[in-house]
Amino acid sequence: MIERVLEAAARRAEAADAWLRDGSTSALRFEAGRLKEGTLAQEAGLNLRVIARGRVGVAGTTDLGAPDELVERALASASLGEELALSLPPLRPPSAVPTFDDTAAGLDTAALAALGRRVLEQLARPLWHVSASVDRTVETVRFANSTGQAYTYRSTGVSVAAEVTRVGGDDVLMVYDHVAGAGPPTEAELDAVAQSIIRRMALAERVVTSPEGRLPVLFTPTGSAAVLLPLLQALSGKSVLQGVSPLGGRLGDSVFDPGLSLTDEPLLPGRLGSRPADDEGVPSARTALIDRGVVRGFAYDLETAARAGATSTGHGRRSIFGRPAIGFTNLVVAAGEFDEAELLREMGAGLVVDELIGVGQGNVISGAFSHPVALAFGVEGGEIVGRVKDAAVAGNSYELLKRIRAIGRVQKWIGGRKAVPGMVVEGVNVAAR
Amino acid sequence: MRDRLAEALRRCRSDYAEIRVERTWASRVVYRGKRLELANESVDGGGCVRVLNRNGGWGVASFTSLEALPAMLEAADQMSRAIHLEEPISLAEVQPREDIVVPQADGDPRRVPLAEKRRYLEALNELILASSDRIADTQCAYGDSWTEWTFANSEGTYLHESRPEVALSASATARDADRIERAHDSLGLRGTWADVQGREEMFRSVARRAVELLSAPTVKGGTYPVVLDPKLAGVFVHEAFGHLSEADFVFENPQAREMMRLGRRFGREIVNFGDDGAAAGLRGTLPYDDEGTPTGRTELVREGVLVGRLHSRETAAKMGERPTGNARAINFRHPPIVRMTNTYIGNGAGSFEDLIADIPLGVYAVDAVGGQTYLENFSFTAALGYMIRDGKVGEMVKDVVLAGNLFQTVARIDRVAGDFRWNQMGGGCGKGGQFPLPVTEGSPHVRIEELLVGGEMPR
């Protein structure tokens, strides 16, 4: 299909590139502690971009039997498109990174169920309502363009997630954890998911009043999403190009605490963001975004690079419909030196934030955030004393990340594609009811 | 198509089976700043099958190639049989029926040239760009879709609907040195091209608001009496109450069920909540849900007391209640789950001025950027706010994030005005990996005695 489409496009356009994904996901859902639903999802689709008379057009389809219609729609899209001197990338071989795990691909229903059960069994307690899911994806990606770049790679992914809900009168506690990667999780990783839930359920048993004021906060790896999200938006070359990134024009400047380093790493074996090349034919390579507090780079795809006078950094991400856009691969926030007990002692008194409500809503790119806590704990005398409810934290990421008190030694992998350590930051506004 | 589905169902050996097939034509135009980012048309399609066997679990399969239908039914049947449940899953009875629904749409968006859609959005985008030299960026989108939806099950139900949707969205970013503010508005309708004409004021108003926010102070964090405008009150009832009313949260969790027991008092007699999947002309309205159950109006809270909840066939059977037609899927890639449709706070009495007249210091929170629920805790972000001082609307404030506990907050609703309106917002609801589901909310102005408002702490 991809060759036919490119051939038909090449007859009527100066250049074209096409990306095809054919994947299948098997999933099991456990509700109220038992296996309840088995799902199979199959999807195959193609995204075509053409450059015709200097204008760019895009079309996608899941109907792989109609290549000519797809080309017609892409050309129609180009006829309305803006002029852009978009050139396809130079021909370079894709980088080498393993993305396909044979064991993952070969797991049958019984094996998938066993992964879920290992976690569920450890969470079977009175009054704990437990749900879990196990997902396994096998995918083939094909890319080709009209300058001769062409490659195919297969990938796998397995994720196991569990959630405990405990209702006591009007008090509801929900604690979640997961593990995800290209291959099946090890027994140790599955046990760690269960233990992480059990530990937080225990810490949450006692409810304490929230501290208030401008306080130090330990953002756990999952809790740090609100603080880091503004940076991810600001580091996109698109935001810089549009003139709305607070980091635009600050390449080479020391903007953050020297303890903060953030890299995009597409070549890590076993991680879900890894791939030999991006979805536009650019071979994958590591990108330093923030290095010891200094802004080192922005993420670009082909179109944004063409408009910005920059070079694609291999961050072109495609889906079946829509146009290619900038997307990160595996994001790694550098670890620090403190273990968890030391992070708490560094803090002395304050709040541990594990999850916030409403992250991603609001004026994110400005750095300002304000969210009530979903799961948080009070800290006194360097120790967690209980769960804090009915509190909200607010601040501005650009200010808070200028001085980071302490960074944790251990990174947690979130969603199989983001490694984040815990972080103690100072001067967070905590309001309580 | 009908014969193909009937034949596939006949060959399927599951005790219960259903097939849902969709084909969607869509067009989309996006402007970012001065430039057109995208103008194109697409076709998408596929199917989803679900089966049940006695003492087996659910088997679900979705696919993009219709050729795979028989194989997918077989795969679903095998998955269902591989699961052994002690307590069988049963489905509430729904009268089998045949219906082919002709939409009341004003025109077919597929007949409007893409160039014309582009011209319209270009002009709307230009209204924002031209409004002020402090406008740094815009993001505006037009989208329409037309879905041919077909449903058949082993009980003899056969349904066909044409489902149109159209949406406009406007986003303006204003910048003044280091300060960056955004304003956003959107319109979503179960309609077509004709229904979104003449929307210039929506775009002008977004531009104005972004610039005004540049000089608005951040609200001082703290607890205040709060008046919600109809848009934000609608988001509140959806986030804070609607999700807890979705029966899949409680139907297998006895403690949660006790928390949401029918007959429990949640608020004063002025408080009425409901969900209406059949209300004429609204975005969340469809004649049937994605299990083939007719939709309708479900009262959730009547005069402060919990009287109902939202069901799928499975949750209704489990709880011994009637199915309400609230099983929805965003598209064929997903199975239906319990979702809202058009959720509302019922009309009260009095004007907005009546609600603020006796407030010495409070916050008037307007419009919603978004909301999220964490069970009995919720958060929503107002687009902006105004201080209420001595019974009058005062200065604009920003970063108005409202947070609370559902039970306490509903109990603290002490006034409901008589100015009900439906909000035809775009975007949609997210749950279980299915985003965005078209929904609507409606409400009058609502006053809450006391609510936590986020923002800067006083120094």
Side-chain angles (χ1 to χ4, degrees), chain B residues 136 204 333:
Chain B
R204 280 194 208 103
R333 292 172 173 85

Side-chain angles (χ1 to χ4, degrees), chain A residues 1-2 4-5 20 44-46 60-71 73, chain B residues 23 43 45 64-67:
Chain A
M1 168 79 171
I2 206 171
R4 266 198 71 186
V5 160
L20 186 152
L46 189 149
T61 188
T62 45
D63 183 355
L64 298 186
D68 297 317
E69 282 171 29
L70 179 65
V71 173
R73 279 199 288 273
Chain B
R23 195 159 167 80
V43 179
T64 46
S65 168
L66 261 190
E67 307 302 321

Side-chain angles (χ1 to χ4, degrees), chain B residues 165-187:
Chain B
E165 279 184 60
V166 66
L168 265 181
S169 69
S171 211
T173 304
R175 186 167 190 172
D176 198 336
D178 283 339
R179 278 171 300 147
I180 303 171
E181 293 297 333
R182 280 187 70 195
H184 177 83
D185 198 1
S186 65
L187 175 69

Side-chain angles (χ1 to χ4, degrees), chain B residues 5-16:
Chain B
L5 300 187
E7 178 62 21
L9 285 170
R10 221 183 344 260
R11 285 175 189 272
C12 175
R13 60 183 185 135
S14 308
D15 294 327
Y16 170 79

